[in-house]
Amino acid sequence: MTAITDVPRTVRRPQSGNRVLRWVRANLFSSIPNVIITLVLFAVLAKGVISFVQWGIANAVWLTPPNDSSACRAARGVGACWAVIPEKYRFILFGTYPFDEQWRPPLAVLLFIALFYVSTRRAWWRRELVYVWIAALALISVLMWGGVFGLSFVSRDRWGGLPVTLILATFGLAFGFPLGILVALGRRSKLPAIRSLCVLYVELIRGVPLVSLLFMASVMFPLFMPGGFNIDKLLRAQIAIILFAGAYLAEVIRGGLQAVPRGQYEAADALGLSYWRKQHLIILPQAIRHVIPPLVNTFIAFFKDTSLVLIIGIFDLLTTAKTAIIDPAWQQFSVEVYIFIAAIYFAFCFAMSRYSRSLEAQTTGR
């Protein structure tokens, strides 16, 4: 009888020591070139952080008397002038909205944020969420326009700042997403007419920049309307953003549809499901799960692209910030204003990014 010998196996010893120190040693100091690069980068980063702390915190001017920038001018080149933010924040955030009524735009922004938060809770992913959206958007419209319930009417020309940015981004993505789903399904249709129209729409919209669509919506679109009929400029810009978002989202969703195994389609057909029930219950949930990262990346890009409406005279957040520093007394401190605006954009974009990561982890189980 042949004796069976055990095959020698390599036994991995449990690594001791702090996990962070092991990671640092393995990723930052694993070789001499890595050590050199790490030290150089640390030196550059430390220099930048120290300089920013000295400029933005230690030597900064935080408050000044109303409309008095003399202290900021004295500290120019040495410290930041954050006093420009409390001096101009009303115009930056709310534009030329009437001063006595400026409690309404912040309330509208809070309603938007609450609506976003509720929409991210999976427990609310029911039919009632649609009614919540309708009620919230109606309440936001009442707050911004007024004219009812004792609120004074404020024309759209007086809107500006953060509410306009949220309106353009929210409605653009809320209507662009279902449009993108329909176009993506149309591009995979077996009917040549529907498939050709969807391909033409996607290629035409993606072949031109958003700036040109906004310009055409603002200048060219009214020329095709009957005499005396005019559409609000904000609505025209909103339609252009919806069409632009729909074309890009359609391609992202089409990639997800192609990633769904063919067996899923065959199983749905075997169950006798209709086309729309098959897409709703089986295909689209899997397709969207596959493309959560690129979808959120597109959402973030369109949220920032709303700043392009400045070319047609709509005062979004970035436009009101640029207009706020036209004042000669504060014109020299545009860097501080742009940092403030960047922090607002970062807060919204970072929240979307973090939510997408948690949603992807929940849906994939990783």
Side-chain angles (χ1 to χ4, degrees):
M1 248 180 114
T2 306
I4 300 176
T5 58
D6 293 336
V7 178
R9 293 177 298 177
T10 303
V11 179
R12 296 183 61 183
R13 296 180 180 179
Q15 295 180 344
S16 59
N18 187 279
R19 182 178 179 181
V20 176
L21 292 179
R22 294 200 307 270
W23 183 91
V24 169
R25 188 181 303 112
N27 293 275
L28 301 180
F29 299 99
S30 59
S31 63
I32 294 179
N34 282 353
V35 171
I36 296 174
I37 294 174
T38 299
L39 293 178
V40 170
L41 291 178
F42 277 169
V44 173
L45 182 62
K47 175 64 177 176
V49 170
I50 292 173
S51 299
F52 180 81
V53 169
Q54 291 177 344
W55 174 81
I57 299 177
N59 301 324
V61 178
W62 298 92
L63 291 173
T64 61
N67 204 26
D68 182 6
S69 60
S70 57
C72 288
R73 290 196 299 270
R76 181 169 171 77
V78 178
C81 177
W82 300 118
V84 67
I85 305 302
E87 182 71 25
K88 297 293 183 180
Y89 81 95
R90 284 181 176 268
F91 186 86
I92 293 173
L93 294 179
F94 312 124
T96 59
Y97 207 89
F99 185 84
D100 294 336
E101 302 291 331
Q102 281 192 356
W103 60 272
R104 289 154 57 179
L107 189 56
V109 171
L110 291 177
L111 282 173
F112 267 122
I113 296 175
L115 188 60
F116 300 154
Y117 177 79
V118 169
S119 301
T120 60
R121 304 296 95 186
R122 300 189 71 176
W124 279 85
W125 289 2
R126 304 190 302 270
R127 183 177 301 176
E128 291 78 4
L129 183 60
V130 177
Y131 304 130
V132 171
W133 268 80
I134 294 174
L137 295 179
L139 183 56
I140 290 171
S141 301
V142 169
L143 284 172
M144 294 300 296
W145 260 299
V148 293
F149 305 120
L151 299 175
S152 60
F153 176 76
V154 179
S155 65
R156 211 288 310 157
D157 296 335
R158 302 294 301 274
W159 298 8
L162 185 57
V164 170
T165 295
L166 292 178
I167 288 171
L168 291 172
T170 302
F171 281 93
L173 295 174
F175 287 95
F177 185 67
L179 175 61
I181 292 177
L182 292 176
V183 174
L185 294 175
R187 290 203 63 172
R188 295 172 58 85
S189 174
K190 296 179 181 179
L191 301 176
I194 294 178
R195 185 170 62 250
S196 299
L197 285 175
C198 292
V199 170
L200 178 63
Y201 162 71
V202 171
E203 297 302 330
L204 181 63
I205 297 297
R206 294 175 70 222
V208 295
L210 178 57
V211 172
S212 64
L213 288 179
L214 291 171
F215 180 78
M216 291 184 64
S218 177
V219 179
M220 301 297 294
F221 186 72
L223 299 178
F224 298 94
M225 294 293 101
F229 182 80
N230 188 27
I231 298 179
D232 183 78
K233 183 165 56 177
L234 181 63
L235 179 58
R236 281 178 269 159
Q238 187 71 82
I239 293 173
I241 291 175
I242 290 172
L243 293 175
F244 196 73
Y248 276 83
L249 291 172
E251 288 299 278
V252 175
I253 295 170
R254 188 169 69 93
L257 292 172
Q258 292 178 341
V260 177
R262 185 64 189 172
Q264 297 295 314
Y265 292 87
E266 296 172 353
D269 293 334
L271 291 173
L273 298 177
S274 65
Y275 176 81
W276 292 110
R277 286 182 62 83
K278 175 176 67 175
Q279 298 295 336
H280 171 66
L281 297 176
I282 297 178
I283 306 302
L284 282 176
Q286 297 183 65
I288 293 175
R289 186 183 304 121
H290 286 310
V291 294
I292 288 176
L295 273 179
V296 175
N297 184 60
T298 306
F299 290 168
I300 292 174
F302 280 113
F303 178 76
K304 295 182 291 185
D305 284 346
T306 55
S307 61
L308 295 176
V309 297
L310 66 90
I311 68 166
I312 58 175
I314 295 178
F315 277 56
D316 73 307
L317 182 60
L318 184 60
T319 308
T320 53
K322 294 175 64 176
T323 308
I325 52 178
I326 292 178
D327 187 350
W330 304 97
Q331 196 171 18
Q332 304 175 9
F333 311 106
S334 59
V335 174
E336 290 83 347
V337 173
Y338 287 132
I339 291 176
F340 175 65
I341 297 301
I344 296 176
Y345 275 105
F346 175 80
F348 282 97
C349 295
F350 182 73
M352 285 189 280
S353 177
R354 292 292 299 177
Y355 174 68
S356 72
R357 292 180 60 183
S358 64
L359 180 61
E360 185 180 10
Q362 293 173 14
T363 55
T364 59
R366 289 182 295 181

